Amino acid sequence: LLPSYLRKMSIASFEGIVPCFIDEDKFLNECIQINQDVPVVMLSGIKEDVHACAVTDLHLGSYIATKHLIDQGYQKIAFVGSLKSSKSNIAKFDGYVKALQEAKMTVHEDFQIYGKSRYKEGYLAAKQLLHLEVSPDAVVTANDAVAAGFIKYAVSHGFRVPEDVGVMGFDNVPIAAIYEPGISTIELSLREMCCAAVDLLIEIIKGNTGIPMSVNFVPKLIARKTTDRRHILSNSGQDLFTE
């Protein structure tokens, strides 16, 4: 349901919206029902019923994350996503699959878990995945909070990160840098995206029709300890692929 504070704002005819919610499609549809003329700038892909968007390529980000794990020598990579039907999750999953297919690796259905993008879900995902008969040796997660939860369970139950399991986050929020071990992640330029979205919205409200429909940002790999497997194994004198 549309947040109550926004319903109150609708009475005063708010001039524009930048949705920042998990289920953006549902949120957007409710906004349109209240005021079909309100300008909307999304922090995701372009839709026919929005004016513009500021977006980082999530498909590419997930592809980069998965490829990084492959380059580090991981061979059984899981995916812990957000809501399965959400556009952001679909984009990330497709990027994950593309990287695996390029490396001729199997996309295991048992290695896929979906839910709310929270610390708790990461913890529970690790509990499920790490005790499979054939368990993954790495995971791409929906965000850094999920990654932190996954790491917490793994470390507290005797799994070494990154030696036994590598963990990739997403977003590069502050917790990724201060967590121990430091979480490898994908930086989405969130501050720049939000600023660009607000700038676009202001120009739309002013009636400027000469602005671009979208502002696109390129995701960036931030490699930290949770995926640094090659460095650790090379320092210990072990061969990366020795059983």
Side-chain angles (χ1 to χ4, degrees), residues 6-220:
L6 190 52
R7 290 189 180 279
K8 294 177 181 178
M9 287 175 63
S10 68
I11 298 174
S13 299
F14 51 89
E15 294 185 276
I17 304 172
V18 179
C20 302
F21 294 86
I22 292 175
D23 193 348
E24 284 188 336
D25 286 345
K26 182 178 179 180
F27 180 83
L28 176 61
N29 291 334
E30 292 197 46
C31 290
I32 292 172
Q33 289 176 12
I34 292 176
N35 188 341
Q36 295 187 5
D37 297 323
V38 64
V40 178
V41 178
M42 300 284 280
L43 293 172
S44 62
I46 296 176
K47 288 173 57 69
E48 292 180 359
D49 43 5
V50 302
H51 291 79
C53 69
V55 61
T56 298
D57 190 337
L58 299 181
H59 178 278
L60 177 58
S62 187
Y63 170 83
I64 292 172
T66 309
K67 192 173 186 306
H68 171 65
L69 290 171
I70 294 169
D71 291 343
Q72 289 293 312
Y74 295 102
Q75 299 179 339
K76 297 177 292 181
I77 303 172
F79 180 83
V80 179
S82 54
L83 300 176
K84 189 172 184 179
S85 61
S86 70
K87 286 182 171 57
S88 61
N89 182 77
I90 292 171
K92 290 178 182 178
F93 179 73
D94 288 348
Y96 157 82
V97 170
K98 180 182 178 182
L100 292 184
Q101 291 178 338
E102 284 186 358
K104 302 190 183 312
M105 292 182 175
T106 303
V107 181
H108 294 282
E109 187 172 346
D110 289 346
F111 287 3
Q112 301 166 31
I113 295 179
Y114 305 94
K116 295 179 180 179
S117 302
R118 301 181 302 191
Y119 179 94
K120 179 181 178 181
E121 274 63 42
Y123 187 93
L124 294 176
K127 182 178 181 180
Q128 178 177 333
L129 289 170
L130 295 178
H131 295 291
L132 292 173
E133 184 175 350
V134 178
S135 62
D137 61 1
V139 61
V140 175
T141 64
N143 61 29
D144 297 328
V146 174
F150 194 101
I151 295 164
K152 176 63 175 180
Y153 180 89
V155 172
S156 63
H157 288 78
F159 295 91
R160 298 171 301 164
V161 179
E163 295 93 332
D164 298 326
V165 59
V167 183
M168 278 294 312
F170 221 95
D171 295 343
N172 195 30
V173 298
I175 189 177
I178 64 176
Y179 204 79
E180 183 57 40
I183 301 172
S184 293
T185 187
I186 298 295
E187 187 172 84
L188 297 184
S189 304
L190 293 176
R191 176 184 292 273
E192 290 80 1
M193 285 171 59
C194 290
C195 289
V198 173
D199 288 343
L200 283 172
L201 185 58
I202 290 172
E203 292 303 314
I204 292 170
I205 292 171
K206 288 179 178 179
N208 185 351
T209 58
I211 61 173
M213 277 294 294
S214 66
V215 178
N216 302 299
F217 297 89
V218 178
K220 177 183 177 183

